């Protein structure tokens, strides 16, 4: 099985979600199923069907998270020493060469990515273009919107 890279923060978020699903959500759906059963005829009971569907989703998500955590390679960006190169977990300050706009991204696992928070997936075009670069290098990013050029201004391991 291939390993799944996760930052320390991403692994903690998955563990928290798993704990919540097992202790809160699972118990709530069991209670909802019991209440729906008490209403009688299950063949035309929409509450029962909805609760069973939710139970299936919760159990599936639990299995998915457990699988990801079992295959996870947790990387703590603060313990990295990549010699100033962009690697998984690093935070990169960039300048768009066309517009001059400054942006900052952290390269994270697929499950952690959230562009609004500046977290980009390791499998995204921009992250793939940045890996291995260092301050002063220019990354050519082939994205669906066209080719963009970003200068790496700084690399940090937070």
């Amino acid at each position: 099985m291939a390993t799944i890279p996760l930052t320390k923060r991403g692994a903690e978020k998955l563990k928290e979600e798993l704990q919540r699903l097992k202790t809160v959500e699972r118990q709530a759906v069991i209670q909802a199923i019991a209440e729906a059963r008490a209403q009688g005829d299950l063949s035309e009971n929409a509450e029962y069907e909805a609760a069973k569907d939710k139970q299936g989703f919760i159990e599936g998500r639990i299995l998915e998270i457990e699988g990801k955590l079992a295959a996870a390679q947790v990387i703590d960006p603060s313990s990295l020493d990549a010699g100033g190169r962009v690697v998984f977990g690093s935070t990169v300050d960039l300048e768009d060469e066309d517009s001059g706009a400054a942006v900052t991204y952290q390269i994270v696992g697929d499950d952690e990515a959230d562009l609004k928070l500046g977290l980009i997936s390791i499998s995204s075009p921009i992250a793939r273009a940045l890996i291995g670069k260092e301050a002063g290098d220019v990354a050519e990013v082939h994205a669906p919107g066209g080719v963009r050029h970003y200068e790496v201004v700084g690399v940090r391991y937070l």
Side-chain angles (χ1 to χ4, degrees):
M1 178 189 288
T3 60
I4 299 171
L6 284 174
T7 63
K8 192 174 177 182
R9 180 182 62 231
E12 290 303 317
K13 286 178 110 175
L14 281 178
K15 288 176 185 174
E16 289 170 10
E17 181 182 357
L18 182 62
Q19 181 68 19
R20 181 181 49 78
L21 287 171
K22 285 184 168 182
T23 59
V24 177
E25 300 289 331
R26 186 184 263 171
Q27 300 308 315
V29 79
I30 288 170
Q31 181 64 34
I33 290 171
E35 289 173 8
R37 276 193 177 145
Q39 294 176 6
D41 185 13
L42 298 180
S43 64
E44 295 181 17
N45 189 328
E47 288 85 9
Y48 178 76
E49 291 300 320
K52 290 297 283 183
D53 287 345
K54 186 171 183 179
Q55 182 183 39
F57 172 79
I58 290 169
E59 295 303 323
R61 183 66 180 149
I62 287 171
L63 288 174
E64 180 183 5
I65 293 172
E66 287 175 339
K68 286 179 181 179
L69 289 173
Q73 177 185 2
V74 180
I75 299 168
D76 182 2
S78 64
S79 67
L80 295 176
D81 182 18
R85 296 203 175 276
V86 177
V87 295
F88 179 85
S90 58
T91 300
V92 187
D93 299 315
L94 303 170
E95 183 178 311
D96 187 322
E97 289 200 327
D98 295 332
S99 68
V103 293
T104 299
Y105 295 123
Q106 181 181 16
I107 300 174
V108 297
D110 293 335
D111 290 321
E112 304 171 72
D114 185 345
L115 191 56
K116 292 177 187 169
L117 300 175
L119 305 173
I120 59 170
S121 167
I122 184 72
S123 59
S124 69
I126 192 165
R128 288 193 314 261
L130 290 171
I131 295 294
K133 300 282 192 269
E134 54 190 24
D137 289 349
V138 174
E140 184 176 272
V141 179
H142 297 272
V147 178
R148 306 285 304 238
H149 294 89
Y150 293 95
E151 179 181 348
V152 178
V153 178
V155 180
R156 301 185 311 275
Y157 310 103
L158 305 174

